[in-house]
């Protein structure tokens, strides 16, 4: 990145009233001010950083603990739900539970298959473009697609940072943008409809709302789980007569209009 910074400085010297002496003077004043302010706040900054790291680690450890207990006691939860209903309705409730489980499993399994395929496609495109560590970047960008909408932007940003900004070649910039454009088109219109299908039949407007709400409640994990959870709720709504209006509102299916 150093040549790019030098080019920017030279451009500023040529087209503005700024001189190298002004820049050196600003650096000296800024460094002195930073030294004076950092000496008193170093302990506070170190504490805030340690607190942020600890909070991040504890939240994600709690996530795995939640998942462990939910999986470990899933049969107990199923029996608990069945006990809430009369014997005449237990078969119908069992069918709804099994269908919701299939929706979640099918969605998450399809996403994992998509990650593998996207890793291969990104690796090919970024490798041809000349990006360093293209396999690692491809895998990270593929896993970030679990975060709807935002994950693709972050993945492309990482590829640009490790590609164009570190090597400074325009061909790499074009290659990265072209790779992500083509792969995203393939994912949206070919891979996702074929692999994930229409098992999670949710209107895009409510998908966006669910992702925002999931982020507010549980951060990144909430964004990842927002779509399958909403899909499960939609299945329940469509099987409960008094809630079918909500199922129609959430769904893109026009057949259930009546």
């Amino acid at each position: 990145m150093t040549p790019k910074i030098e080019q920017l400085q030279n451009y500023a010297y040529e087209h503005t009233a700024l001189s190298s002496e002004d820049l050196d003077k600003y650096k000296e004043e800024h460094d002195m001010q930073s030294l004076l302010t950092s000496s008193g706040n170093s302990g506070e900054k170190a504490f805030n950083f340690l607190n942020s790291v600890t909070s991040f680690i504890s939240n994600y450890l709690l996530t795995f603990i939640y998942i462990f207990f939910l999986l470990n006691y899933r049969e107990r939860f199923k029996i608990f739900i069945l006990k809430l209903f009369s014997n005449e309705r237990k078969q119908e409730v069992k069918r709804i539970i099994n269908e919701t489980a299939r929706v979640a499993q099918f969605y998450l399994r399809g996403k994992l298959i998509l990650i593998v395929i996207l890793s291969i496609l990104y690796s090919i495109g970024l490798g041809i473009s000349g990006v360093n560590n293209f396999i690692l970047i491809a895998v990270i960008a593929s896993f970030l697609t679990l975060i709807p909408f935002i994950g693709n932007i972050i993945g492309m940003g990482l590829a640009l940072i490790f590609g164009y900004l570190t090597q400074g070649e325009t061909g790499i910039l074009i290659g990265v943008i072209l790779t992500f454009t083509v792969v995203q088109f393939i994912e949206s219109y070919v891979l996702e409809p074929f692999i994930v299908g229409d098992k999670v039949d949710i209107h895009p407007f409510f998908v966006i709302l669910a992702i925002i709400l999931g982020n507010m409640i549980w951060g990144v994990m909430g964004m990842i789980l927002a779509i399958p959870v909403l899909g499960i709720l939609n299945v329940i709504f469509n099987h409960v007569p008094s809630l079918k209006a909500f199922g129609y509102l959430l769904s893109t299916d026009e057949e259930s209009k009546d």
Side-chain angles (χ1 to χ4, degrees):
M1 296 176 63
T2 303
K4 297 294 179 184
I5 297 175
E6 292 177 353
Q7 290 177 10
L8 183 62
Q9 290 177 352
N10 293 332
Y11 181 86
Y13 296 152
E14 294 175 2
H15 296 83
T16 66
L18 183 68
S19 64
S20 59
E21 290 79 11
D22 296 332
L23 184 60
D24 293 337
K25 183 178 179 181
Y26 172 78
K27 286 182 178 179
E28 291 177 1
E29 294 176 354
H30 184 72
D31 292 341
M32 182 61 68
Q33 185 179 4
S34 298
L35 180 63
L36 293 174
T37 56
S38 62
S39 59
N41 298 330
S42 58
E44 184 180 354
K45 290 180 179 178
F47 175 78
N48 291 334
F49 175 76
L50 183 62
N51 186 37
S52 300
V53 172
T54 305
S55 176
F56 176 83
I57 295 174
S58 61
N59 285 336
Y60 277 86
L61 286 178
L62 283 174
T63 300
F64 289 109
I65 293 173
Y66 296 151
I67 293 174
F68 168 77
F69 280 109
L70 287 173
L71 293 175
N72 192 39
Y73 291 102
R74 62 186 183 277
E75 191 64 29
R76 181 175 290 271
F77 290 136
K78 180 179 179 180
I79 295 174
F80 163 75
I81 294 173
L82 291 174
K83 285 181 176 292
L84 296 176
F85 296 90
S86 61
N87 292 330
E88 292 78 13
R89 302 195 60 186
K90 280 187 178 180
Q91 290 301 322
E92 181 183 358
V93 174
K94 277 185 179 181
R95 184 165 55 83
I96 296 174
I97 292 174
N98 292 334
E99 188 171 342
T100 56
R102 282 196 300 271
V103 168
Q105 292 171 3
F106 194 89
Y107 176 81
L108 295 176
R109 185 172 65 246
K111 279 294 185 181
L112 291 177
I113 296 173
L114 274 178
I115 287 174
V116 175
I117 298 175
L118 290 177
S119 298
I120 297 172
L121 295 177
Y122 281 138
S123 297
I124 294 173
L126 296 177
I128 295 174
S129 302
V131 178
N132 291 333
N133 301 317
F134 61 91
I135 295 179
L136 177 62
I137 298 172
V139 173
I140 295 174
S142 300
F143 270 98
L144 286 172
T145 57
L146 284 172
I147 307 174
F149 307 123
I150 300 175
N152 295 325
I153 299 174
I154 298 175
M156 185 174 178
L158 287 175
L160 290 174
I161 291 173
F162 283 97
Y164 175 69
L165 293 182
T166 56
Q167 295 170 256
E169 297 181 8
T170 308
I172 293 179
L173 173 65
I174 297 173
V176 170
I177 296 176
L178 189 62
T179 296
F180 274 83
T181 302
V182 173
V183 173
Q184 288 304 314
F185 178 83
I186 295 174
E187 178 194 2
S188 300
Y189 294 99
V190 179
L191 295 177
E192 189 148 2
F194 179 74
I195 296 175
V196 179
D198 56 353
K199 292 296 182 181
V200 184
D201 180 27
I202 304 295
H203 195 279
F205 173 71
F206 292 102
V207 168
I208 296 173
L209 289 182
I211 291 169
I212 295 173
L213 184 61
N215 180 52
M216 294 171 60
I217 296 174
W218 204 4
V220 174
M221 288 303 298
M223 296 175 70
I224 295 173
L225 297 176
I227 297 177
V229 169
L230 192 61
I232 291 172
L233 290 176
N234 191 33
V235 171
I236 296 174
F237 292 157
N238 286 324
H239 284 81
V240 178
S242 59
L243 299 177
K244 280 190 174 183
F246 294 100
Y248 170 73
L249 183 65
L250 293 177
S251 177
T252 59
D253 187 11
E254 295 291 336
E255 295 180 0
S256 58
K257 188 181 297 185
D258 295 334

